[in-house]
């Protein structure tokens, strides 16, 4: 039997695809921002906090990095309600993605923070910068500049990984594909199209990060390390 | 209804974990072989091959593994083959692994300073001799830590095979959950088993990296 593709069979489902795309994009944008913020806090505490805090956060980072995202998602969506914490699917997806991205990013960021010499921070304080100012300008911003390529990749990985949230019935791109193929049985066409959309999203995200990075870290263009 | 004791749950999960390990091994061995082939082809100097392999790597790195699994499973069906979840999962994970390993190894080969190619040429070595005596020994040492590190991603990736009905650790977890309604315990145990599989690999990768760094190579 040969392969016959009928992409026109997908045309009645443009609305579903658009709805899925919007969900995937919104989830990605929101979790990228929330994940980054959480990562900064975790990375800061992992470098500077008391030993027991560092241990707990180290446990969180290692547990997250060494278990599949789908299991984390199931644990949050199915497991937490058993403890009396009721959450809906989209909240669970948001929570799982944020915690996942934050764990990876905190680990990347920690290396970036530790690469800053102590002397630089002391120099900034001597120049009259406040504690917050010097930490922000001398440690955090250069750390982000150093890890930016790795950060870009991690955010794209989380976007691609978000396909899994369809399994707890969040109406994302993948869910749209599942929905379509359950109606018209054109599974290959539906998945091929959606895969292409993911690929375009990944390429687009990389370009966007490049653009933003060039603006944010313009000071590094001067050739400093 | 059958009553499940905690031990029943643990035992069933551990039994299912065997298939996670087997699938991981298939994906890793298959992916490494294919990745090696692609790495060699990429070095062969053929422009077209190089571009094609580059696209292959970008496509697999730029699309969700879940979609790759769906396409392998339903795509084969569309072509008229009736494949099992086993076959589809093995093929998809092998291709996925080969793309990432190919990219990792290219980076390792490129990490050897260019000057060494020139120096070897000056010493009268040809391409193969340079590769064998100068570049490969260094690139191989560089490649071990990230390769071991990536094996963690392979093990975690096998969890997605549950979605196309392959009964491994995650699928066993959802099935047990449907039978026992003890999601907290079950998914905590599932996560713990994955952790037991992945954490040693992560630690080993980090140890190898540190040793390489201490040996003064980067």
């Amino acid at each position: 039997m040969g392969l016959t593709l009928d992409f026109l069979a997908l045309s009645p489902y443009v609305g579903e695809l658009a709805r899925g795309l919007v969900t995937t994009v919104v989830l990605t944008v929101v979790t990228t921002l929330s994940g980054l913020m959480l990562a900064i806090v975790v990375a800061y505490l992992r470098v500077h906090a008391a030993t027991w805090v560092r241990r707990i956060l180290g446990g969180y980072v290692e547990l997250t990095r060494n278990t599949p995202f789908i299991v984390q998602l199931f644990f949050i969506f199915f497991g937490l309600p058993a403890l009396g914490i009721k959450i809906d699917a989209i909240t669970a997806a948001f929570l799982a993605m944020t915690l996942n991205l934050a764990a990876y990013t905190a680990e990347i960021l920690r290396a970036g923070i530790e690469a800053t010499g102590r002397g630089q921070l002391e120099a900034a304080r001597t120049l009259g910068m406040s504690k917050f100012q010097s930490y922000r300008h001398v440690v955090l911003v250069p750390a982000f500049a150093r890890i930016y390529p790795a950060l870009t990749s991690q955010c794209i990985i989380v976007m691609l990984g978000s396909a899994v949230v369809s399994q707890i019935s969040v109406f994302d791109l993948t869910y749209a594909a599942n929905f379509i193929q359950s109606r018209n049985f054109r599974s290959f066409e539906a998945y091929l199209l959606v895969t292409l959309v993911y690929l375009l999203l990944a390429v687009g995200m990389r370009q966007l990060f490049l653009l933003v990075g060039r603006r944010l870290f313009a000071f590094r263009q001067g050739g400093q390390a | 209804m059958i009553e499940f004791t905690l031990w029943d749950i643990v035992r069933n999960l551990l039994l299912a974990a065997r298939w996670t390990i087997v699938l991981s091994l298939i994906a890793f061995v298959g992916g490494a072989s294919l990745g090696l082939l692609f790495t060699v082809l990429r070095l062969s100097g053929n422009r077209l091959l190089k571009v094609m392999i580059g696209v292959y790597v970008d496509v697999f790195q730029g699309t969700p593994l879940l979609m790759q699994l769906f396409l392998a499973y339903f795509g084969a069906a569309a072509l008229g083959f009736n494949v099992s979840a086993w076959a589809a999962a093995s093929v998809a994970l092998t291709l996925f692994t080969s793309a990432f390993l190919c990219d990792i190894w290219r980076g390792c080969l490129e990490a050897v300073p260019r000057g060494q190619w020139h120096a070897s040429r000056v010493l009268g070595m040809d391409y193969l001799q340079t590769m064998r005596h100068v570049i490969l020994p260094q690139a191989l040492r560089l490649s071990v830590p990230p390769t071991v590190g990536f094996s963690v991603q392979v093990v975690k990736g096998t969890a997605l095979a549950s979605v196309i009905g392959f009964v491994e650790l995650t699928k066993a977890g959802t099935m047990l959950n449907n039978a026992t309604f003890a999601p907290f315990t079950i998914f905590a145990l599932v996560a713990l088993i994955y952790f037991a599989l992945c954490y040693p690999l992560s630690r080993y990768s980090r140890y190898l990296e540190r040793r390489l760094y201490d040996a003064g190579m980067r």
Side-chain angles (χ1 to χ4, degrees), chain B residues 18-32:
Chain B
R18 283 181 308 174
W19 304 118
T20 291
I21 295 171
V22 171
L23 189 59
S24 302
L25 285 175
I26 290 175
F28 194 77
V29 173

PDB file of all heavy atoms in Angstrom, chain B residues 18-32:
ATOM      1  N   ARG B  18      12.276  -2.902  33.926  1.00  0.00           N
ATOM      2  CA  ARG B  18      13.135  -3.694  33.036  1.00  0.00           C
ATOM      3  C   ARG B  18      13.006  -3.209  31.610  1.00  0.00           C
ATOM      4  O   ARG B  18      13.978  -3.099  30.878  1.00  0.00           O
ATOM      5  CB  ARG B  18      12.701  -5.172  33.055  1.00  0.00           C
ATOM      6  CG  ARG B  18      13.116  -5.947  34.250  1.00  0.00           C
ATOM      7  CD  ARG B  18      12.644  -7.363  34.097  1.00  0.00           C
ATOM      8  NE  ARG B  18      11.211  -7.401  33.773  1.00  0.00           N
ATOM      9  CZ  ARG B  18      10.544  -8.509  33.476  1.00  0.00           C
ATOM     10  NH1 ARG B  18      11.161  -9.665  33.438  1.00  0.00           N
ATOM     11  NH2 ARG B  18       9.262  -8.477  33.220  1.00  0.00           N
ATOM     12  N   TRP B  19      11.751  -2.937  31.198  1.00  0.00           N
ATOM     13  CA  TRP B  19      11.522  -2.543  29.801  1.00  0.00           C
ATOM     14  C   TRP B  19      12.021  -1.134  29.534  1.00  0.00           C
ATOM     15  O   TRP B  19      12.433  -0.820  28.420  1.00  0.00           O
ATOM     16  CB  TRP B  19      10.050  -2.714  29.432  1.00  0.00           C
ATOM     17  CG  TRP B  19       9.616  -4.124  29.699  1.00  0.00           C
ATOM     18  CD1 TRP B  19       8.660  -4.552  30.559  1.00  0.00           C
ATOM     19  CD2 TRP B  19      10.197  -5.310  29.129  1.00  0.00           C
ATOM     20  NE1 TRP B  19       8.607  -5.916  30.556  1.00  0.00           N
ATOM     21  CE2 TRP B  19       9.530  -6.414  29.697  1.00  0.00           C
ATOM     22  CE3 TRP B  19      11.228  -5.538  28.220  1.00  0.00           C
ATOM     23  CZ2 TRP B  19       9.847  -7.739  29.368  1.00  0.00           C
ATOM     24  CZ3 TRP B  19      11.549  -6.854  27.887  1.00  0.00           C
ATOM     25  CH2 TRP B  19      10.856  -7.923  28.463  1.00  0.00           C
ATOM     26  N   THR B  20      12.007  -0.295  30.571  1.00  0.00           N
ATOM     27  CA  THR B  20      12.629   1.026  30.435  1.00  0.00           C
ATOM     28  C   THR B  20      14.117   0.858  30.153  1.00  0.00           C
ATOM     29  O   THR B  20      14.674   1.512  29.276  1.00  0.00           O
ATOM     30  CB  THR B  20      12.412   1.845  31.728  1.00  0.00           C
ATOM     31  OG1 THR B  20      11.029   2.170  31.818  1.00  0.00           O
ATOM     32  CG2 THR B  20      13.231   3.112  31.731  1.00  0.00           C
ATOM     33  N   ILE B  21      14.739  -0.069  30.894  1.00  0.00           N
ATOM     34  CA  ILE B  21      16.181  -0.284  30.723  1.00  0.00           C
ATOM     35  C   ILE B  21      16.473  -0.877  29.345  1.00  0.00           C
ATOM     36  O   ILE B  21      17.372  -0.416  28.636  1.00  0.00           O
ATOM     37  CB  ILE B  21      16.722  -1.197  31.843  1.00  0.00           C
ATOM     38  CG1 ILE B  21      16.592  -0.492  33.196  1.00  0.00           C
ATOM     39  CG2 ILE B  21      18.179  -1.570  31.576  1.00  0.00           C
ATOM     40  CD1 ILE B  21      16.897  -1.364  34.384  1.00  0.00           C
ATOM     41  N   VAL B  22      15.677  -1.880  28.942  1.00  0.00           N
ATOM     42  CA  VAL B  22      15.905  -2.513  27.639  1.00  0.00           C
ATOM     43  C   VAL B  22      15.738  -1.494  26.511  1.00  0.00           C
ATOM     44  O   VAL B  22      16.585  -1.387  25.616  1.00  0.00           O
ATOM     45  CB  VAL B  22      14.947  -3.712  27.430  1.00  0.00           C
ATOM     46  CG1 VAL B  22      15.038  -4.222  25.994  1.00  0.00           C
ATOM     47  CG2 VAL B  22      15.265  -4.831  28.404  1.00  0.00           C
ATOM     48  N   LEU B  23      14.655  -0.712  26.591  1.00  0.00           N
ATOM     49  CA  LEU B  23      14.414   0.289  25.545  1.00  0.00           C
ATOM     50  C   LEU B  23      15.532   1.335  25.534  1.00  0.00           C
ATOM     51  O   LEU B  23      15.980   1.758  24.467  1.00  0.00           O
ATOM     52  CB  LEU B  23      13.050   0.957  25.770  1.00  0.00           C
ATOM     53  CG  LEU B  23      12.555   1.873  24.656  1.00  0.00           C
ATOM     54  CD1 LEU B  23      12.424   1.118  23.346  1.00  0.00           C
ATOM     55  CD2 LEU B  23      11.219   2.500  25.026  1.00  0.00           C
ATOM     56  N   SER B  24      16.004   1.734  26.718  1.00  0.00           N
ATOM     57  CA  SER B  24      17.113   2.690  26.797  1.00  0.00           C
ATOM     58  C   SER B  24      18.352   2.126  26.124  1.00  0.00           C
ATOM     59  O   SER B  24      19.043   2.829  25.382  1.00  0.00           O
ATOM     60  CB  SER B  24      17.453   3.010  28.252  1.00  0.00           C
ATOM     61  OG  SER B  24      16.336   3.521  28.922  1.00  0.00           O
ATOM     62  N   LEU B  25      18.630   0.844  26.381  1.00  0.00           N
ATOM     63  CA  LEU B  25      19.820   0.218  25.793  1.00  0.00           C
ATOM     64  C   LEU B  25      19.705   0.154  24.272  1.00  0.00           C
ATOM     65  O   LEU B  25      20.655   0.479  23.549  1.00  0.00           O
ATOM     66  CB  LEU B  25      20.032  -1.188  26.373  1.00  0.00           C
ATOM     67  CG  LEU B  25      20.578  -1.213  27.797  1.00  0.00           C
ATOM     68  CD1 LEU B  25      20.626  -2.641  28.330  1.00  0.00           C
ATOM     69  CD2 LEU B  25      21.979  -0.597  27.850  1.00  0.00           C
ATOM     70  N   ILE B  26      18.516  -0.263  23.799  1.00  0.00           N
ATOM     71  CA  ILE B  26      18.309  -0.324  22.337  1.00  0.00           C
ATOM     72  C   ILE B  26      18.543   1.062  21.732  1.00  0.00           C
ATOM     73  O   ILE B  26      19.291   1.219  20.764  1.00  0.00           O
ATOM     74  CB  ILE B  26      16.879  -0.797  22.012  1.00  0.00           C
ATOM     75  CG1 ILE B  26      16.709  -2.272  22.382  1.00  0.00           C
ATOM     76  CG2 ILE B  26      16.568  -0.583  20.519  1.00  0.00           C
ATOM     77  CD1 ILE B  26      15.299  -2.788  22.204  1.00  0.00           C
ATOM     78  N   ALA B  27      17.904   2.075  22.335  1.00  0.00           N
ATOM     79  CA  ALA B  27      18.007   3.433  21.796  1.00  0.00           C
ATOM     80  C   ALA B  27      19.440   3.929  21.842  1.00  0.00           C
ATOM     81  O   ALA B  27      19.930   4.552  20.906  1.00  0.00           O
ATOM     82  CB  ALA B  27      17.095   4.378  22.561  1.00  0.00           C
ATOM     83  N   PHE B  28      20.126   3.621  22.936  1.00  0.00           N
ATOM     84  CA  PHE B  28      21.474   4.148  23.083  1.00  0.00           C
ATOM     85  C   PHE B  28      22.454   3.454  22.143  1.00  0.00           C
ATOM     86  O   PHE B  28      23.236   4.107  21.461  1.00  0.00           O
ATOM     87  CB  PHE B  28      21.954   4.030  24.532  1.00  0.00           C
ATOM     88  CG  PHE B  28      23.182   4.842  24.785  1.00  0.00           C
ATOM     89  CD1 PHE B  28      23.095   6.219  24.945  1.00  0.00           C
ATOM     90  CD2 PHE B  28      24.429   4.250  24.837  1.00  0.00           C
ATOM     91  CE1 PHE B  28      24.228   6.991  25.144  1.00  0.00           C
ATOM     92  CE2 PHE B  28      25.566   5.009  25.042  1.00  0.00           C
ATOM     93  CZ  PHE B  28      25.466   6.381  25.201  1.00  0.00           C
ATOM     94  N   VAL B  29      22.390   2.132  22.091  1.00  0.00           N
ATOM     95  CA  VAL B  29      23.302   1.391  21.208  1.00  0.00           C
ATOM     96  C   VAL B  29      22.991   1.704  19.745  1.00  0.00           C
ATOM     97  O   VAL B  29      23.879   2.024  18.951  1.00  0.00           O
ATOM     98  CB  VAL B  29      23.216  -0.126  21.481  1.00  0.00           C
ATOM     99  CG1 VAL B  29      24.020  -0.905  20.451  1.00  0.00           C
ATOM    100  CG2 VAL B  29      23.721  -0.435  22.883  1.00  0.00           C
ATOM    101  N   GLY B  30      21.707   1.659  19.400  1.00  0.00           N
ATOM    102  CA  GLY B  30      21.304   1.979  18.025  1.00  0.00           C
ATOM    103  C   GLY B  30      21.658   3.411  17.667  1.00  0.00           C
ATOM    104  O   GLY B  30      22.218   3.677  16.598  1.00  0.00           O
ATOM    105  N   GLY B  31      21.347   4.322  18.566  1.00  0.00           N
ATOM    106  CA  GLY B  31      21.608   5.732  18.324  1.00  0.00           C
ATOM    107  C   GLY B  31      23.091   6.035  18.216  1.00  0.00           C
ATOM    108  O   GLY B  31      23.504   6.850  17.393  1.00  0.00           O
ATOM    109  N   ALA B  32      23.892   5.375  19.037  1.00  0.00           N
ATOM    110  CA  ALA B  32      25.343   5.597  18.989  1.00  0.00           C
ATOM    111  C   ALA B  32      25.905   5.084  17.663  1.00  0.00           C
ATOM    112  O   ALA B  32      26.742   5.739  17.037  1.00  0.00           O
ATOM    113  CB  ALA B  32      26.026   4.917  20.170  1.00  0.00           C
TER     114      ALA B  32
END
